[in-house]
Amino acid sequence: MRLSLRFVLPLLLVLAAIAYAVSPMVDQLTLRWFVRDLDSRSALIANAIQEPLLEQLAAGRKAKTGDFFNRISQDERLFAVGYCATPDTPMLASRSLPKQITCAELARWTGPGEHLLASEQGPLHVAVHPMTSAAPADAAAVPGQLVLVHDMSFITRRSEETKRYLVYVFMALGAAVSLITVIVAQLSWRGWMAGVRALLRGEGLLRQPEINPPPSLPGFKPIARDLQRLISELESENRARDESQLTWSAETLRTILHGELRGEDVIVVSNREPYIHQRRGERIEVQRPASGLVTALEPIMRACSGTWIAHGSGSADHEVVDKNDRVAVPPENPAYHIRRVWLTPEEEAGYYYGFANEGLWPLCHIAHVRPIFRSGDWAQYIAVNRKFAQAVVSEAKTKNPIVLVQDYHFALLPKMIHEELPEATIISFWHIPWPNPESFAICPWREEILAGMLGSSIMGFHTQSHCNNFVDTVDRFLEARVDRESFNVSFGGKRTSVRRYPISIAWPPDPELLQKCVPECRRHIRELNDLPPEHKLGIGVDRLDYTKGILERFRAIERLLELKPDWIGHFTFVQIAAPTRSGIDEYQHHEAQVRTLATRINARFERRGPAPIILKIEQHAPPLVYEHFRAADLCFVSSLHDGMNLVAKEFVAARDDERGVLILSEFTGAARELPEALIVNPYDADQCAAALHLALSMPDMEQRDRMLLMRGLVAEFNVFRWAGRMLLDAATQRRHSRLTDMPGTSTL
Ligand code: F6P
């Protein structure tokens, strides 16, 4: 309202000034019109009265002429009439003729015509008309002039009236313009305010979808596009600031969820569940699986709450869920829910063991194990993906949830969710490598897999080379539009952003894992393994998977002992290998190979002291794993191909004493982030042996320098950043789609 007054008052003042300036001009104009009117009126009257006047003059009836003139001047405007025979004679006139008009005075005027005169009675119009005779013969005998005097005061009255009307008109005009302006201003102000508020809430600037779908505003189209661009720029500026200034923590992540995503519910889908309930006789034991995916996502879910949908694979899983198949976890301090999905043995065999782990796993890892593709497995893979899609739909509280789809078990799920919940933001993350197009080509259902993944809003990989491979593969096998500058793929009318999000671990690590001091860990773990106190110790922690390069690792140890026999009896490598996928032939075969090789190497060097390799094929709880990390002099990660490998980062996190050496395969995603590790090619036994020797003899200062740099990296690029970046990108996409879905706007 104040704004409207601020606008209306000046407008009214301007209009008043215009009225004031215009009125003299109007006065002049109307005066000219009226004088012209009086001129022609006088001429008319003069013509009309000339004949009777001539007759009366000719008849010498002067008294009658006076009456005649008096009668005529009773007209409202004709003030007086007079006749002058000569300049010297007195004027024959009506009574009302002003005294200053005499025949002598008329003779001094410039001649016949019209004159304006000021008199006691007011302004007068005096018209002098020469008399003419109807009979030419008498013309000389008809001298004299007729004088017609009109009252002009009515002109002044009219002018006053006109001025008054003019003021009224301008006032009415001002009021009308003000009213229209105020209404328009109020409407647009409200619209802009709503837009700005929406922007501040993180919605599209010109849209409040839940309240009022906006009408199509073609006029705003260019503005919307500019705004969109502006938002993008601001976002990228903010992102740069975020990256450099934010210390990512569980709290930061919670703030992002509540601020950027307004606390929306997050649904995670993975095959492996974070807590497995196993029956052990009378009691139920809670197990934590050996899984990089679980290691990364669990702290995220603790921070964000929400629902984690996963396969219920534990023998007591059924016993602990509610009627909706949900259980609150972590058991000691519940923060989120697991929604369990039950699979039949046939489904598990076809989808998990078959298609996912005999087909896609070796296909993507290129670890020289042939992928096996069976149509029966494919059918189960489709059916199980569909089952999980239904679970997502039933868990979604809104029509646009944020769904985090995890890994190669669910390549088809993004498309299925998108079909059911087109407004959902689906972020898929592929935890394993993506091969080059030639390697991927051998999958018989390659097009279906790619189309399924492109149901995602964002498709994430650990490294840029995996993103490149994926985009190349899509380009090769699908009719899709691939934008290599923005790394966006458009397929079937849907756009997917392909992005790199290097996964990590929680930072700082859980204090419970670091509770025991390093000397205590060194002592305890050596005792546990019957090793002397100062014995050099190496550690490897993996699932017993052929991609982890455990055989290559053992061969490197053997080579070290061949090349540097001084280490025989003074160095032992403890390999913790969690059993995995043991229903698959290849894994059984691999386990047998690992056991045989360890036995052979030990047999070869054991006689000169403790065994060089201690193989523990069993699941170890995180506190015991961390104790091993803290007790070791080196950690050896020799994956033949690995998306990231979080064991490398966990070892770094465990070493708050800033000691210990990491030997890391160049074929892991982690090698790109931790160049201070000793980077090796696991296929090169000599090189790995040299790295082992270097690690065992590395001075404390160098260990410290390397470890400090690696710890700094892991602290900064922790798992909260991994999840936070994905969620921020999801928030950005949601803002963009609100803007671009608006009628009358187009995609960037
Ligand atoms: O990190 C890759 C990954 O395949 C995860 O998807 C999985 O949770 C983990 O390794 C362990 O594998 P599995 O769940 O088959 O035991």
Side-chain angles (χ1 to χ4, degrees):
M1 190 63 204
R2 235 185 302 144
L3 186 90
S4 312
L5 279 178
R6 248 184 267 153
F7 176 76
V8 169
L9 281 180
L11 178 74
L12 288 175
L13 284 175
V14 168
L15 286 175
I18 293 174
Y20 184 75
V22 155
S23 77
M25 279 167 14
V26 173
D27 259 5
Q28 297 246 323
L29 196 68
T30 48
L31 180 67
R32 237 180 288 141
W33 287 342
F34 285 128
V35 167
R36 216 179 300 145
D37 271 4
L38 288 177
D39 290 349
S40 35
R41 195 168 195 267
S42 301
L44 210 67
I45 296 171
N47 284 338
I49 68 173
Q50 188 168 309
E51 226 176 274
L53 178 63
L54 278 174
E55 279 172 17
Q56 284 176 16
L57 290 174
R61 295 195 294 255
K62 285 196 180 163
K64 280 216 170 178
T65 306
D67 289 346
F68 177 55
F69 282 167
N70 283 335
R71 269 202 315 277
I72 296 171
S73 7
Q74 275 166 8
D75 178 273
E76 191 199 347
R77 295 199 206 146
L78 189 61
F79 185 69
V81 183
Y83 168 72
C84 277
T86 67
D88 309 322
T89 53
M91 187 175 293
L92 204 56
S94 61
R95 280 188 297 272
S96 50
L97 186 79
K99 288 197 179 48
Q100 73 245 54
I101 305 176
T102 61
C103 292
E105 182 67 20
L106 286 188
R108 274 197 295 275
W109 292 0
T110 47
E114 295 78 29
H115 306 273
L116 299 182
L117 199 72
S119 74
E120 285 170 8
Q121 291 81 5
L124 297 173
H125 175 272
V126 183
V128 182
H129 288 269
M131 296 284 282
T132 53
S133 169
D138 303 339
V142 184
Q145 291 175 311
L146 196 56
V147 180
L148 295 156
V149 181
H150 273 94
D151 178 11
M152 281 181 68
S153 59
F154 81 97
I155 294 179
T156 321
R157 278 198 311 277
R158 291 242 170 119
S159 162
E160 290 298 321
E161 266 170 39
T162 312
K163 265 192 220 162
R164 233 186 353 261
Y165 282 129
L166 214 61
V167 169
Y168 291 155
V169 166
F170 272 101
M171 276 170 64
L173 193 69
V177 170
S178 310
L179 193 70
I180 293 168
T181 312
V182 168
I183 292 170
V184 172
Q186 286 287 340
L187 288 178
S188 14
W189 179 249
R190 258 182 236 160
W192 276 102
M193 282 313 288
V196 170
R197 262 182 234 127
L199 180 68
L200 293 176
R201 281 198 305 270
E203 294 168 0
L205 184 57
L206 300 173
R207 189 180 181 197
Q208 287 179 292
E210 290 82 13
I211 307 164
N212 271 328
S216 182
L217 300 173
F220 279 149
K221 204 170 169 179
I223 301 175
R225 223 176 288 133
D226 287 350
L227 286 173
Q228 232 175 332
R229 217 166 290 136
L230 187 69
I231 290 171
S232 299
E233 281 166 19
L234 287 175
E235 275 161 356
S236 57
E237 276 172 25
N238 279 343
R239 193 170 306 150
R241 199 185 55 214
D242 288 346
E243 297 292 341
S244 60
Q245 291 179 2
L246 272 184
T247 305
W248 288 84
S249 64
E251 194 44 50
T252 323
L253 202 60
R254 260 192 294 270
T255 311
I256 285 174
L257 271 182
H258 288 107
E260 296 280 331
L261 293 163
R262 284 168 288 143
E264 286 173 58
D265 245 354
V266 174
I267 301 174
V268 167
V269 189
S270 75
N271 172 71
R272 186 63 62 206
E273 54 183 344
Y275 294 90
I276 307 174
H277 291 86
Q278 299 286 19
R279 177 148 286 286
R280 304 267 182 246
E282 284 302 290
R283 56 185 189 88
I284 292 175
E285 193 181 282
V286 182
Q287 224 183 51
R288 302 283 306 276
S291 155
L293 179 156
V294 169
T295 308
L297 276 171
E298 221 273 324
I300 303 304
M301 286 307 275
R302 283 183 194 229
C304 306
S305 305
T307 307
W308 187 328
I309 302 174
H311 171 211
S313 57
S315 53
D317 274 359
H318 272 100
E319 299 174 46
V320 296
V321 293
D322 64 13
K323 64 178 187 336
N324 297 315
D325 298 324
R326 298 172 122 239
V327 58
V329 288
E332 64 284 0
N333 183 19
Y336 65 95
H337 282 92
I338 300 178
R339 155 75 195 274
R340 284 178 170 146
V341 174
W342 314 113
L343 299 182
T344 63
E346 296 73 35
E347 283 172 332
E348 194 178 357
Y351 138 83
Y352 173 74
Y353 288 107
F355 194 78
N357 286 317
E358 288 191 287
L360 289 178
W361 180 268
L363 177 76
C364 290
H365 278 90
I366 319 180
H368 314 290
V369 169
R370 281 191 182 169
I372 301 170
F373 291 110
R374 307 179 192 93
S375 53
D377 293 347
W378 172 241
Q380 293 293 3
Y381 188 82
I382 298 173
V384 171
N385 270 248
R386 175 99 38 225
K387 211 175 202 179
F388 275 82
Q390 281 154 7
V392 171
V393 173
S394 73
E395 289 297 328
K397 295 187 180 72
T398 59
K399 60 184 177 4
N400 61 346
I402 294 170
V403 189
L404 301 175
V405 177
Q406 305 300 310
D407 233 349
Y408 60 98
H409 308 92
F410 296 116
L412 305 179
L413 190 56
K415 183 165 177 250
M416 291 174 176
I417 298 172
H418 181 67
E419 282 163 1
E420 296 288 327
L421 298 168
E423 289 178 45
T425 301
I426 306 165
I427 310 174
S428 299
F429 194 79
W430 198 258
H431 288 257
I432 62 175
W434 187 269
N436 55 54
E438 291 73 25
S439 303
F440 188 74
I442 64 174
C443 175
W445 299 282
R446 59 195 183 196
E447 286 87 3
E448 288 88 335
I449 299 272
L450 293 171
M453 293 170 79
L454 291 178
S456 314
S457 321
I458 300 174
M459 189 64 235
F461 296 92
H462 291 296
T463 69
Q464 192 54 47
S465 74
H466 297 156
C467 293
N468 297 348
N469 282 348
F470 178 73
V471 164
D472 288 347
T473 312
V474 169
D475 211 6
R476 180 81 60 88
F477 298 114
L478 291 185
E479 289 292 324
R481 193 156 55 85
V482 173
D483 183 338
R484 284 172 192 275
E485 205 178 319
S486 63
F487 261 73
N488 290 327
V489 175
S490 298
F491 178 67
K494 166 135 189 49
R495 195 175 69 162
T496 303
S497 304
V498 181
R499 296 282 178 273
R500 177 184 84 100
Y501 302 104
I503 204 168
S504 195
I505 56 169
W507 191 279
D510 183 349
E512 270 185 36
L513 300 173
L514 309 176
Q515 227 172 17
K516 245 187 213 173
C517 67
V518 170
E520 174 60 15
C521 294
R522 289 181 71 90
R523 193 192 54 73
H524 180 232
I525 295 298
R526 281 169 179 73
E527 255 177 37
L528 207 68
N529 293 289
D530 286 331
L531 299 172
E534 290 314 311
H535 195 75
K536 289 281 185 186
L537 186 74
I539 180 76
V541 181
D542 308 82
R543 284 182 307 104
L544 191 42
D545 194 296
Y546 53 84
T547 61
K548 301 295 178 186
I550 298 173
L551 293 173
E552 286 70 12
R553 199 175 302 171
F554 290 177
R555 283 186 202 119
I557 293 165
E558 181 178 31
R559 191 74 184 124
L560 168 76
L561 301 181
E562 283 169 8
L563 295 172
K564 296 283 177 190
D566 287 355
W567 290 116
I568 300 170
H570 298 284
F571 168 63
T572 295
F573 191 85
V574 174
Q575 175 65 49
I576 294 174
T580 182
R581 306 171 191 171
S582 28
I584 297 174
D585 288 349
E586 192 62 47
Y587 283 79
Q588 291 165 10
H589 176 59
H590 180 64
E591 182 180 331
Q593 281 184 306
V594 169
R595 284 185 190 278
T596 307
L597 184 61
T599 310
R600 185 180 66 69
I601 294 170
N602 283 342
R604 187 173 166 194
F605 300 105
E606 214 166 20
R607 58 190 164 4
R608 286 159 59 186
I613 295 172
I614 297 177
L615 180 59
K616 300 181 171 191
I617 301 187
E618 58 190 324
Q619 175 88 26
H620 281 55
L624 190 54
V625 171
Y626 266 67
E627 215 180 316
H628 278 86
F629 284 147
R630 285 159 81 74
D633 297 291
L634 65 89
C635 172
F636 194 0
V637 174
S638 54
S639 306
L640 305 180
H641 203 178
D642 219 331
M644 174 54 69
N645 193 290
L646 292 183
V647 169
K649 293 187 176 180
E650 285 182 309
F651 175 68
V652 169
R655 299 313 297 258
D656 55 1
D657 63 332
E658 294 155 7
R659 296 291 183 283
V661 182
L662 175 64
I663 303 174
L664 184 56
S665 159
E666 64 181 287
F667 305 121
T668 60
R672 327 242 156 151
E673 294 186 73
L674 302 171
E676 296 79 16
L678 300 181
I679 305 294
V680 295
N681 172 358
Y683 292 96
D684 184 342
D686 284 10
Q687 188 198 43
C688 291
L692 281 166
H693 176 68
L694 196 63
L696 290 171
S697 29
M698 188 179 285
D700 274 7
M701 280 308 283
E702 188 179 343
Q703 290 185 31
R704 183 174 165 275
D705 288 349
R706 288 173 184 266
M707 190 52 81
L708 265 177
L709 286 168
M710 291 193 286
R711 285 176 65 79
L713 184 288
V714 179
E716 195 178 339
F717 292 85
N718 59 35
V719 76
F720 302 111
R721 179 188 284 258
W722 172 75
R725 270 267 47 94
M726 282 195 283
L727 293 173
L728 277 177
D729 287 350
T732 305
Q733 276 211 354
R734 283 160 94 90
R735 272 203 292 277
H736 276 172
S737 59
R738 277 191 195 112
L739 204 58
T740 49
D741 289 351
M742 197 186 86
T745 59
S746 62
T747 329
L748 274 175

